[in-house]
Structures are given as C-alpha cells and as structure tokens.
C-alpha cells in the first residue's frame, strides 16, 4: 500500500535525474503531503524520448462515467495487475515511473492510534515508483491518470506494513518504461532489504491538509 508521499526535488533536477523533458504543466515542488487525486510527477517514454509530466494520482478505467464512478484506484497489485480488466492493457502498453522523495505508512497502537512513519532511500536518491497510466474522459476534458504498483513487503518494511510500493533501480527504468521491448514482469518483486530506511514522524501528517517540511522530521527518541 502507498497512500501518501513526498517530493522535494526541484522540477528541473527531476528532469535531469530521469533524463526527461519537463512539461510546463508539472506540479509545484516541494510537496510534503501528496494525497490521492493530486497531480503528481510522472516519467513516461514516447517517440521523442522521456517526458516528465503531470498526472492525476488515481487511475480511471475507460468505463468510469465520472471520476467517482468506481473505487479510487491509487495502487495496483503486482500479483494481479496483468489480469485485472482495469489495469491489464496499461500493464502491457502504458507503464511509467512516479517520482518521490519518500512515502508514509502507518502502524496502530493497541488503542487504535495511528502512528505515521516516513520511509526513504538510504542513499538519499529520488524514489522511482513503478506505475501504470491511462488517459480518461472526453476530448475537451481529457486527463492522464495513474496508479502505483505494489508488491508484498520485504522483511524490512514488513515491520510497518504487509505491502510496499514497487521501487525500481535506475538500471531497470528503461525496461519498465518499455524502451527495451518486453520482459518487465520479473521486475515486479519486493526491493532489496538495504535500500530503504524509516523513522517515526509527527501525527500531524495524519491530516491530508497538513503541509511543510516538519512533517518528515524524526520524532525525538524517547528515553527508556
């Protein structure tokens, strides 16, 4: 599951990092609390090379009559993505990368309190979430939409949640984006154990209206 994430890298730096041409419509960065249905930074590949574009986070299948015409599809499970009618064609033909700096996950206390954690790469590099995308709507209101592919959590992340986003290393970007032809299915597995690290952050991020860099600041270590 991935339900909230951050991006702190400037747009031009994102373009350079992913060797992508930056569209004028990409959203403002930094954003410390990206939520479902927000516009997000997406790398896709086309005839003229890679582009960094804006897409709605929340995949809209063609048969939806309205944006709220069915479940909000922010994630696509790697185990079933190739067979689910909503994602099947996109998995074969429209794969993309969603750019992030880190993401949030929650655990619960025995009393039911939601405790947020912030997860990022150990090496400090941007995160490339594997995604799929779909154009939706009539010509005059057409928009691009996307979902993040998820896998079972590796041992490290399973301390927090049983699932995790599919995070791709630079050597695998071209294959996922379809630049090297077919054969991306083997990439859909949990990432290596040593890629990510995490820490507790303030409960302020429990609100999807919260903002600011303080949301990702580590909580002080409590004395025993």
């Amino acid at each position: 599951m991935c339900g909230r994430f951050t991006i702190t890298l400037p747009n031009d730096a994102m373009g350079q990092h992913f060797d992508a041409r930056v569209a004028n419509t990409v959203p403002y960065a930094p954003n410390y609390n990206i939520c479902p249905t927000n516009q997000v930074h997406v790398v896709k590949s086309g005839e003229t090379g890679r582009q960094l574009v804006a897409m709605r986070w929340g995949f809209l299948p063609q048969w939806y009559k309205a944006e709220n015409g069915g479940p909000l599809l922010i994630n696509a499970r790697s185990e079933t993505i190739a067979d689910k009618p909503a994602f099947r064609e996109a998995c074969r033909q429209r794969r993309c990368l969603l750019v992030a700096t880190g993401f949030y996950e929650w655990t619960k206390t025995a009393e039911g309190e939601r405790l947020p954690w912030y997860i990022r790469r150990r090496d400090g590099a941007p995160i490339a979430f594997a995604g799929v995308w779909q154009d939706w709507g009539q010509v005059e209101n057409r928009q691009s939409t996307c979902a993040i592919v998820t896998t079972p959590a590796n041992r490290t992340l399973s301390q927090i949640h049983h699932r995790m986003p599919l995070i791709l290393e630079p050597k695998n970007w071209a294959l996922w984006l379809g630049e090297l032809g077919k054969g991306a299915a083997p990439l859909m597995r949990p990432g290596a154990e040593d890629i990510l690290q995490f820490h507790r952050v303030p409960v302020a991020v429990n609100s999807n209206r919260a903002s600011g860099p303080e949301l990702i600041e580590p909580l002080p270590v409590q004395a025993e």
Side-chain angles (χ1 to χ4, degrees), residues 47-61:
E47 294 181 358
T48 59
R50 293 179 188 173
Q51 292 179 299
L52 180 69
V53 300
M55 292 191 186
R56 175 192 189 267
W57 183 23
F59 190 98
L60 295 173

Side-chain angles (χ1 to χ4, degrees), residues 30-71:
N31 187 340
Y32 292 89
N33 196 3
I34 298 170
C35 303
T37 74
N38 286 173
Q39 293 289 302
V40 295
H41 297 79
V42 174
V43 176
K44 67 175 186 176
S45 191
E47 294 181 358
T48 59
R50 293 179 188 173
Q51 292 179 299
L52 180 69
V53 300
M55 292 191 186
R56 175 192 189 267
W57 183 23
F59 190 98
L60 295 173
Q62 294 283 13
W63 60 82
Y64 278 23
K65 302 300 183 184
E67 291 185 9
N68 59 356

Side-chain angles (χ1 to χ4, degrees), residues 6 19 34 52 76 136 158 168 218 223:
T6 68
D19 192 23
I34 298 170
L52 180 69
W136 177 88
S158 66
L168 297 175

Side-chain angles (χ1 to χ4, degrees), residues 4-5 74 85 114 132-134 147 157 164 198 207 222:
R4 218 91 69 72
F5 63 95
I74 62 171
R114 297 179 74 232
V132 291
W133 65 276
Q134 168 75 59
L157 265 292
M164 65 182 291
F198 52 85
S207 169
Q222 299 291 327

Side-chain angles (χ1 to χ4, degrees), residues 100-103 105 118-129 151-160 163-169 190-199:
T101 305
F103 61 100
E105 196 51 81
Y118 185 62
I119 305 157
R120 58 186 177 88
R121 291 186 64 104
R122 289 184 182 273
D123 60 11
I127 295 174
F129 294 139
T151 71
N154 60 22
R155 186 170 60 254
T156 300
L157 265 292
S158 66
Q159 301 173 64
I160 300 176
R163 296 195 67 79
M164 65 182 291
L166 173 54
I167 296 173
L168 297 175
E169 296 302 301
E193 297 292 341
D194 59 349
I195 292 174
L196 302 174
Q197 63 184 27
F198 52 85
H199 59 261

